[in-house]
Amino acid sequence: MKNQILFTFCFLLIVSFVHSQDATTSSPQEIDMKVRALGYRFYQDGERLTWNELTDATNSVEEANKLIQRAKSQNTLSNILAFAGGALIGIPLGQKAADSDPTWELAYIGGGTALIGFHLALRAFNNVNKGVDDYNLTINSTAQYKFQPEIKVLANSNGFGLAIGF
């Protein structure tokens, strides 16, 4: 009877040791980013990540994590500015539809606010794209160069423009 108990104890110890070894050998997976109409979607190992889970997943690569945190705050601020700009544009349009005297100054202010929000959204896209690419390149040592375009909004005395860098 003692031999059976000893054999069962040793068997369970070996099985638990092998199981714990299998659980710790998993390496970090690449993060996929997809741009949708209402924002970004991040996937790791087939599961969707939120912004907070994304920053937690990229803690091992400091530079990528900083870029992603910056992009998160820029994305939040751009959403707030876009909402406020749309509301300020909509007020005079509603007044015009109601056949009252619209205050077009609000629409001008709203247009400026929406442009600032658009600029921040582009910067957030560039930062999160670069952060995810940096993370994926760091965890995947066999990776080659990845295409990383940057989009910038330029303003000077001649007007506004978009610059695309490759």
Side-chain angles (χ1 to χ4, degrees), residues 66-146:
K66 285 181 182 179
L67 285 170
I68 290 171
Q69 287 178 349
R70 186 178 306 140
K72 179 182 172 186
S73 63
Q74 289 171 340
N75 187 46
T76 303
L77 188 57
S78 74
N79 286 340
I80 292 169
L81 289 175
F83 178 78
L88 289 173
I89 292 171
I91 290 171
L93 295 177
Q95 290 172 344
K96 181 70 172 172
D99 290 331
S100 65
D101 190 30
T103 47
W104 292 112
E105 292 81 13
L106 288 177
Y108 301 143
I109 294 170
T113 305
L115 278 176
I116 293 170
F118 180 71
H119 175 69
L120 279 175
L122 285 176
R123 290 184 65 184
F125 173 76
N126 287 336
N127 285 334
V128 74
N129 194 19
K130 186 166 176 25
V132 167
D133 285 346
D134 286 351
Y135 174 78
N136 289 339
L137 285 172
T138 303
I139 66 165
N140 189 3
S141 61
T142 62
Q144 299 296 324
Y145 174 78
K146 290 192 177 183

Side-chain angles (χ1 to χ4, degrees), residues 32-102:
D32 295 325
M33 183 181 95
K34 296 182 181 176
V35 180
R36 302 286 185 208
L38 296 177
Y40 308 109
R41 301 271 171 114
F42 306 103
Y43 297 96
Q44 185 178 31
D45 200 24
E47 294 190 23
R48 185 173 174 207
L49 300 175
T50 62
W51 278 99
N52 291 333
E53 292 169 344
L54 178 68
T55 56
D56 292 341
T58 58
N59 277 337
S60 60
V61 182
E62 185 177 341
E63 184 178 334
N65 192 318
K66 285 181 182 179
L67 285 170
I68 290 171
Q69 287 178 349
R70 186 178 306 140
K72 179 182 172 186
S73 63
Q74 289 171 340
N75 187 46
T76 303
L77 188 57
S78 74
N79 286 340
I80 292 169
L81 289 175
F83 178 78
L88 289 173
I89 292 171
I91 290 171
L93 295 177
Q95 290 172 344
K96 181 70 172 172
D99 290 331
S100 65
D101 190 30

